[in-house]
Amino acid sequence: GAVVSQHPSWVICKSGTSVKIECRSLDFQATTMFWYRQFPKQSLMLMATSNEGSKATYEQGVEKDKFLINHASLTLSTLTVTSAHPEDSSFYICSARAGTGTTEAFFGQGTRLTVV
Amino acid sequence: AQSVTQLDSQVPVFEEAPVELRCNYSSSVSVYLFWYVQYPNQGLQLLLKYLSGSTLVKGINGFEAEFNKSQTSFHLRKPSVHISDTAEYFCAVSDIGNEKLTFGTGTRLTIIP
């Protein structure tokens, strides 16, 4: 199956700093990527949808200026958590689809962010 | 808008016993249905999906699910579980033509030796 690689798998940062998380599709071109946030023992909440070469579409309640998403190529999307605070600590997961009309999304292994 | 309900947050099952994880959905349009498994500190892996055709869908690791349109359900089953099946299971739905997945709250399956 298709592989989506997410990096780093875990990161600890100081409050007020920014953290970048990368999501790469290794063996296919991902026209659409999705970013999710998962709180402990809860489900995945969609944060935003990004299409290559265009601005991301954010879900209601997600701060665009805080969670910057860039999808500059067909194999890479990045999520930058700016001015991180302890409440941003969470598990972030990306997923990617190979194209429009396809039905399966492939998930990265997730990034655990801890802000201290 | 669609929604997914997984009524059981935790399901303990003895090893080699059968298991059913329940999933109900609501949507005003036709949907695709999915089951994903998540192992600790990992991403999600697709177990199986229903797109169209036969309502009984077989997936990986011996799991299967049955789509019941009248009951708007997509329950996941396995006839005999193994210790390695211990994980979190998520049911998800997407409207046909809409790429977004809506997830249920998950069911933690614990296998008792």
Side-chain angles (χ1 to χ4, degrees):
Chain A
V3 178
V4 175
S5 176
Q6 203 171 326
H7 179 80
S9 56
W10 61 270
V11 58
I12 302 173
C13 72
K14 291 184 178 180
S15 185
T17 62
S18 295
V19 174
K20 180 184 285 188
I21 302 170
E22 292 186 348
C23 180
R24 293 181 183 273
S25 57
L26 297 186
D27 50 4
F28 68 100
Q29 294 185 327
T31 56
T32 305
M33 287 189 171
F34 305 86
W35 287 95
Y36 296 86
R37 182 174 180 176
Q38 185 179 31
F39 293 98
K41 298 183 180 181
Q42 294 188 29
S43 188
L44 283 73
M45 290 176 49
L46 180 64
M47 298 174 66
T49 303
S50 73
N51 291 297
E52 184 264 340
S54 60
K55 291 184 178 180
T57 302
Y58 290 80
E59 295 300 301
Q60 192 173 11
V62 178
E63 298 177 60
K64 301 178 182 181
D65 295 331
K66 182 165 191 60
F67 298 100
L68 301 179
I69 292 172
N70 183 281
H71 192 165
S73 78
L74 285 171
T75 58
L76 174 64
S77 176
T78 60
L79 167 67
T80 301
V81 183
T82 63
S83 186
H85 291 285
E87 56 265 31
D88 298 325
S89 298
S90 192
F91 195 56
Y92 294 88
I93 304 176
C94 71
S95 72
R97 287 184 187 267
T100 57
T102 59
T103 57
E104 185 169 351
F106 300 96
F107 287 78
Q109 67 269 44
T111 297
R112 182 160 301 285
L113 170 63
T114 302
V115 185
V116 297
Chain B
Q2 68 267 76
S3 66
V4 179
T5 302
Q6 290 181 250
L7 291 172
D8 305 307
S9 60
Q10 296 187 58
V11 174
V13 180
F14 284 103
E15 193 174 13
E16 298 184 3
V19 68
E20 178 178 82
L21 305 183
R22 297 181 293 170
C23 172
N24 288 87
Y25 70 94
S26 66
S27 176
S28 58
V29 298
S30 296
V31 298
Y32 295 140
L33 294 157
F34 307 81
W35 273 100
Y36 287 89
V37 59
Q38 183 181 34
Y39 298 102
N41 295 311
Q42 294 187 31
L44 276 68
Q45 180 181 5
L46 181 67
L47 275 178
L48 47 79
K49 59 185 176 184
Y50 171 78
L51 306 180
S52 64
S54 173
T55 56
L56 182 63
V57 180
K58 293 188 183 298
I60 62 172
N61 301 341
F63 284 94
E64 64 180 32
E66 185 155 20
F67 170 54
N68 188 317
K69 189 174 183 178
S70 63
Q71 297 185 5
T72 60
S73 68
F74 191 55
H75 301 331
L76 180 70
R77 294 191 291 258
K78 186 170 182 176
S80 176
V81 296
H82 188 266
I83 289 288
S84 59
D85 294 323
T86 296
E88 190 87 18
Y89 292 79
F90 292 96
C91 182
V93 62
S94 70
D95 292 343
I96 293 176
N98 185 333
E99 298 177 315
K100 296 182 185 179
L101 283 169
T102 299
F103 287 87
T105 50
T107 298
R108 180 168 298 277
L109 177 62
T110 301
I111 308 303
I112 305 166

